[in-house]
Amino acid sequence: MTKHIFVTGGVVSSLGKGLTSASIGMLLEQRGLRVRMQKLDPYINVDPGTMSPYQHGEVYVLDDGSETDLDLGHYERFTSGRLTRDCNYTTGQIYLSVIEKERKGQFLGKTVQVIPHITNEIKSVISRMGGDDVDVVITEIGGTVGDIESLPFLEAIRQFSLDAGRENCLYMHLTLVPYLKAADELKTKPTQHSVGQLREIGIQPDVLVCRCEHSISRDDREKIALFCNVPVEAVIEEKDKDFSIYEVPLSLVDNKLDQLVVDKLNLTSAKNLDITAWNDLLHRLRNPRHEVSIAVVGKYAEHKDAYKSIYEAIDHAGIHHQAQIRIGRIQSADIEREGAERLLSGYDGVLVPGGFGERGIEGKVQAIRFARERGIPFLGICLGMQCAVIEYGRNVMKLDDAHSSEFDKDTEHPVICLLDEQQNVTQMGGTMRLGSQPARLDRHSLAGKAYDADTVDERHRHRYEFNNQYRQQFETNGMRFAGTSPDGGLVEIVEVPDHPWFVAVQFHPEFKSKPLKSHPLFAGFVGATINRRTRRGSESTNQPPQEQIS
């Protein structure tokens, strides 16, 4: 029977439940087990697709077009289990499903209530994850124990063990053990209170994962174990990681968490742990051979989670090339005020990510022009590609009014326009061009060489596209269309051939990058920044350039 691990959080939010859950999933996979991951979010929005990046961070898109929580990015980066729309449910989706059933008369006139109807719906979406092809399902419960909106989910996972059998369920509670500098000691009371709230609901945690700044002493572990009714070996220390999030799995191994899970769930098919590849990853991180700096010019640069997958994909490319990458988060609106020269000089590469809305667009366009004219490696993603087309139209083709009809409906040259399929769309949520779409590549292009393939499948999230009425005019003026939809109708990749690396894509390659397998476009982009840095260093010392990185 499929085993289930439920991960809850207490004391404060943002403790890293998603990262911890993903790390556990990775460790179990490395022991030969088949793992699936799931996130249950307590907010009432049906999905995060219409939520502000400042409130929610990035919207992570799956192959099937689901717009999901950013924690699913951790799940995909750390594990190999396939993620679908069943892997992320919100309160909004749960209630919507129940209400639709009620409207169809499926409850036969009964009064619809939180218990049992809402909790039964939650249990059904958890059960859906199991099956003959899965050994362990890890379900993360969003929010913090004590929040009123989380109660139906906690009640549902309490009931779930009654149906599945307590021996098939493991409750893991992630909590905070704060350090008080004035007293020079760790405080266990918040953890005791958090576990107390769980026990009032009827859930006794099997494992406590304790986030902390300082190591937890044996005495404190015994104290936590005694007051929280768990074995002392089930009190797991998870110290803050200053170097890299990819240290988290190894920290959990040091605390024997993977073995504890295997023993408690009686996972007899588990093999010995092999994390050789992960150790090699950290070795490459700790021993860089190169150092480069990359400016990420975005609308939401001050909010790190808004571009979470972008930053992770850059790190993966750094691991691939054994390079330390210093990322500068640049507000595109600041470039409008202070100029690209002042804010971008000294960077080895420029990346312009996606976004929505007119604010900061001109700053992105200025940044792209700076990179193109100075020969600085450039990677544009989604809106970044659209801004690259606008910049090229204005400054190379002299179409002074070139713009996107998203921002200027009356522009004389709408080089970016609304997708045909979007013309009559009125609903905002879940209606964009979403999910995995195929693209045909020009094998002689930078992108074609990076992928080393004729076709690729990449994830999309957009409403606007390159206006095909201008395609011949752009090609005549030197822009290369390196990737299109299979029928040639949609432009997916544009390049400037006489540039060290100027590639812009309509899709989101960052969603398919992994720490052990860097995405080809990010690897190519970072390789170009290293080449530029090496070449500039050689010129300044009159030394011959080193071998080019590809």
Side-chain angles (χ1 to χ4, degrees):
M1 184 174 180
T2 301
K3 307 289 185 175
H4 289 265
I5 299 173
F6 298 104
V7 181
T8 58
V11 184
V12 295
S13 60
S14 302
L15 284 179
K17 291 194 304 296
L19 187 55
T20 300
S21 299
S23 298
I24 295 165
M26 186 276 282
L27 295 175
L28 294 181
E29 279 195 346
Q30 296 307 309
R31 299 192 67 144
L33 297 169
R34 298 163 300 174
V35 176
R36 289 200 75 187
M37 309 284 299
Q38 183 182 49
K39 173 78 181 287
L40 303 181
D41 272 309
Y43 52 78
I44 298 176
N45 304 67
V46 172
D47 59 47
T50 57
M51 295 172 70
S52 166
Y54 291 109
Q55 288 212 348
H56 189 270
E58 76 173 0
V59 176
Y60 191 82
V61 179
L62 304 181
D63 280 338
D64 65 5
S66 304
E67 294 176 290
T68 70
D69 184 83
L70 61 81
D71 277 330
L72 273 75
H74 289 310
Y75 301 167
E76 280 207 317
R77 287 187 283 271
F78 279 67
T79 68
S80 59
R82 182 169 174 264
L83 300 185
T84 67
R85 64 182 68 253
D86 285 335
C87 298
N88 190 199
Y89 278 88
T90 68
T91 293
Q93 287 172 295
I94 296 294
Y95 273 78
L96 183 62
S97 177
V98 171
I99 290 169
E100 287 174 345
K101 290 177 182 178
E102 185 273 335
R103 292 289 83 189
K104 294 175 182 177
Q106 292 183 18
F107 296 120
L108 303 176
K110 294 180 181 178
T111 300
V112 179
Q113 298 175 291
V114 173
I115 301 172
H117 300 100
I118 297 299
T119 52
N120 282 348
E121 187 70 20
I122 295 170
K123 288 190 291 182
S124 74
V125 303
I126 297 171
S127 297
R128 212 172 294 161
M129 298 291 289
D132 295 337
D133 60 340
V134 183
D135 296 311
V136 181
V137 173
I138 301 175
T139 300
E140 175 193 348
I141 309 299
T144 305
V145 170
D147 294 344
I148 192 169
E149 57 264 31
S150 299
L151 287 174
F153 292 100
L154 296 175
E155 171 61 18
I157 66 173
R158 181 196 70 80
Q159 293 178 19
F160 193 89
S161 68
L162 302 178
D163 302 331
R166 187 63 177 87
E167 70 281 4
N168 295 314
C169 297
L170 185 149
Y171 296 105
M172 185 177 300
H173 190 53
L174 186 64
T175 183
L176 177 70
V177 181
Y179 170 73
L180 293 187
K181 186 176 180 180
D184 189 27
E185 62 182 3
L186 294 172
K187 288 297 183 181
T188 66
K189 189 65 70 176
T191 294
Q192 295 175 42
H193 283 305
S194 183
V195 172
Q197 287 181 302
L198 264 183
R199 292 167 69 183
E200 287 176 8
I201 296 167
I203 297 173
Q204 170 59 57
D206 298 293
V207 178
L208 297 178
V209 178
C210 301
R211 284 293 306 272
C212 52
E213 295 179 72
H214 299 268
S215 294
I216 303 175
S217 68
R218 177 71 183 185
D219 287 345
D220 280 335
R221 285 162 65 107
E222 289 177 348
K223 184 177 180 181
I224 291 170
L226 176 64
F227 284 96
C228 297
N229 196 32
V230 298
V232 68
E233 62 270 16
V235 179
I236 306 298
E237 174 188 287
E238 188 180 327
K239 284 181 64 177
D240 295 350
K241 301 294 179 290
D242 296 327
F243 180 66
S244 169
I245 63 171
Y246 299 117
E247 293 180 291
V248 172
L250 300 187
S251 170
L252 299 179
V253 171
D254 291 341
N255 283 272
K256 300 181 174 57
L257 179 58
D258 60 308
Q259 188 61 51
L260 184 65
V261 170
V262 167
D263 292 342
K264 281 187 172 291
L265 289 176
N266 193 27
L267 294 165
T268 55
S269 61
K271 301 175 183 177
N272 291 331
L273 183 65
D274 181 5
I275 49 174
T276 304
W278 212 261
N279 280 318
D280 180 61
L281 177 156
L282 285 171
H283 174 77
R284 294 172 69 85
L285 268 174
R286 292 189 178 108
N287 298 278
R289 296 169 52 206
H290 311 280
E291 182 178 334
V292 294
S293 59
I294 293 173
V296 175
V297 181
K299 293 163 61 77
Y300 323 112
E302 75 274 26
H303 185 20
K304 190 174 181 180
D305 279 349
Y307 301 122
K308 183 67 176 176
S309 293
I310 294 281
Y311 298 135
E312 293 300 315
I314 292 173
D315 284 345
H316 303 163
I319 294 168
H320 175 82
H321 288 296
Q322 209 163 338
Q324 181 179 0
I325 301 178
R326 302 190 183 279
I327 297 176
R329 298 198 289 272
I330 310 295
Q331 284 273 29
S332 56
D334 290 344
I335 291 180
E336 295 175 7
R337 290 190 294 269
E338 302 180 44
E341 175 79 36
R342 182 165 185 267
L343 295 179
L344 299 180
S345 293
Y347 283 101
D348 303 301
V350 173
L351 188 152
V352 176
F356 296 90
E358 189 173 5
R359 180 180 60 83
I361 292 298
E362 295 304 322
K364 290 190 174 192
V365 171
Q366 291 177 38
I368 294 166
R369 180 178 186 178
F370 182 82
R372 181 180 58 79
E373 293 181 345
R374 301 295 180 92
I376 300 171
F378 165 75
L379 178 61
I381 294 174
C382 197
L383 180 59
M385 187 205 88
Q386 296 173 7
C387 288
V389 170
I390 292 168
E391 188 280 323
Y392 202 85
R394 290 178 183 177
N395 300 309
V396 176
M397 298 165 56
K398 305 306 178 186
L399 305 175
D400 295 339
D401 195 37
H403 218 317
S404 167
S405 60
E406 179 182 4
F407 311 123
D408 184 357
K409 288 182 171 56
D410 299 321
T411 178
E412 183 181 353
H413 296 291
V415 294
I416 302 296
C417 64
L418 190 66
L419 283 157
D420 288 342
E421 65 198 54
Q422 295 286 318
Q423 295 293 337
N424 298 314
V425 171
T426 56
Q427 293 286 339
M428 296 297 292
T431 57
M432 285 185 270
R433 185 174 184 239
L434 292 166
S436 184
Q437 307 284 347
R440 185 181 63 203
L441 304 180
D442 176 354
R443 287 298 293 263
H444 301 292
S445 66
L446 288 170
K449 292 174 183 177
Y451 279 108
D452 191 24
D454 295 311
T455 60
V456 293
D457 290 281
E458 293 285 2
R459 299 176 190 176
H460 294 66
R461 186 173 184 254
H462 64 107
R463 297 187 192 277
Y464 289 79
E465 61 166 333
F466 179 87
N467 189 340
N468 283 324
Q469 293 181 11
Y470 291 88
R471 188 182 292 195
Q472 184 175 352
Q473 196 172 349
F474 270 81
E475 285 183 313
T476 301
N477 282 273
M479 179 167 275
R480 173 193 284 155
F481 298 101
T484 65
S485 57
D487 63 0
L490 297 177
V491 171
E492 297 281 14
I493 307 174
V494 300
E495 297 181 359
V496 175
D498 58 349
H499 190 281
W501 179 277
F502 191 102
V503 177
V505 300
Q506 184 58 74
F507 47 83
H508 289 268
E510 69 271 22
F511 292 152
K512 298 186 77 171
S513 186
K514 290 176 176 278
L516 295 174
K517 189 178 181 181
S518 172
H519 190 282
L521 293 183
F522 278 87
F525 169 58
V526 170
T529 68
I530 295 171
N531 288 335
R532 183 175 188 271
R533 180 69 171 257
T534 302
R535 185 169 59 251
R536 291 174 68 196
S538 299
E539 290 170 355
S540 64
T541 57
N542 295 319
Q543 296 294 321
Q546 299 178 17
E547 182 181 355
Q548 293 285 291
I549 293 174
S550 62

